[in-house]
Amino acid sequence: MTEHEIKIAFKEYDTVSELNSQDHNLCLEAKKALATSHSPYSKFRVGAALLLKSGKILHASNQENVAYPSGLCAERVALFHWGANHADDPIVSMAVTAHTNDFPILKPVTSCGSCLQVMAECEKRQNSPLRVLLYCINGPVWVIDGIQSLMPFMFFEERLTQST
Ligand code: THU
């Protein structure tokens, strides 16, 4: 038996104002996107903003449905929109934030497994790291420099065709 340990790396900033101006701005854009959330069932708003290499910023939010599984997280709304409309313009960074009137959110919201899998595919597709900024309004910001740190055991395409 061999025991393995995997370390993941991320940076924590105590507040959004400690970030450089580009990252700070992207977090504020994710916060703006909260306004478009359609979340009448969970009352949990999630906003996302993508900064593309060209400088363009895309916004998205969670979109729920009365048939609950038909809804989609903000991250995947953002990434599928990018894939359908801007895939030739790589994503530099993605900021995600959340808000609910029901209780204070004290830590950044971390993305679900399905969103991580889609982030991994986008990163692979553009062949450059996708930075993720998990932004807690009135709290810390976690910065992750690539999806490998969020999902060290990700499934990747080569497994379908090569022995590794
Ligand atoms: N949600 C997101 O949009 N992103 C996440 O990272 C976690 C969860 C949404 C899905 C649903 O609309 C609501 O938050 C509650 O789960």
Side-chain angles (χ1 to χ4, degrees):
M1 194 274 275
T2 317
E3 221 175 299
H4 297 273
E5 193 178 338
I6 294 176
K7 289 190 181 168
I8 62 156
F10 71 100
K11 300 185 188 87
E12 180 172 64
Y13 295 82
D14 288 340
T15 73
V16 70
S17 52
E18 283 181 14
L19 297 172
N20 68 37
S21 62
Q22 192 176 67
D23 287 349
H24 186 159
N25 182 54
L26 194 63
C27 287
L28 299 186
E29 295 293 334
K31 187 176 168 188
K32 272 192 216 163
L34 292 171
T36 66
S37 167
H38 177 64
S39 42
Y41 309 106
S42 72
K43 313 248 187 289
F44 193 80
R45 293 176 172 269
V46 183
L50 303 183
L51 171 67
L52 309 187
K53 199 172 168 201
S54 65
K56 191 169 180 52
I57 292 178
L58 307 181
H59 299 87
S61 54
N62 55 329
Q63 300 296 315
E64 296 182 353
N65 193 281
V66 62
Y68 291 179
S70 303
L72 204 60
C73 295
E75 293 92 323
R76 274 177 291 160
V77 174
L79 294 168
F80 290 149
H81 175 74
W82 170 80
N85 298 286
H86 301 277
D88 56 347
D89 192 358
I91 305 163
V92 178
S93 304
M94 170 176 199
V96 183
T97 194
H99 176 76
T100 177
N101 288 328
D102 294 348
F103 54 87
I105 296 176
L106 304 173
K107 282 184 179 171
V109 167
T110 44
S111 303
C112 77
S114 297
C115 288
L116 293 182
Q117 187 65 40
V118 173
M119 287 178 201
E121 182 94 6
C122 292
E123 187 174 69
K124 190 89 177 159
R125 196 168 162 185
Q126 68 178 20
N127 199 25
S128 62
L130 197 172
R131 294 174 70 239
V132 181
L133 314 174
L134 300 173
Y135 165 39
C136 176
I137 300 166
N138 304 319
V141 185
W142 294 343
V143 179
I144 302 102
D145 285 322
I147 309 307
Q148 187 71 36
S149 282
L150 287 170
M151 204 167 47
F153 279 115
M154 70 170 70
F155 183 73
F156 49 94
E157 197 181 344
E158 288 75 12
R159 298 313 301 258
L160 296 176
T161 51
Q162 294 164 25
S163 80
T164 56

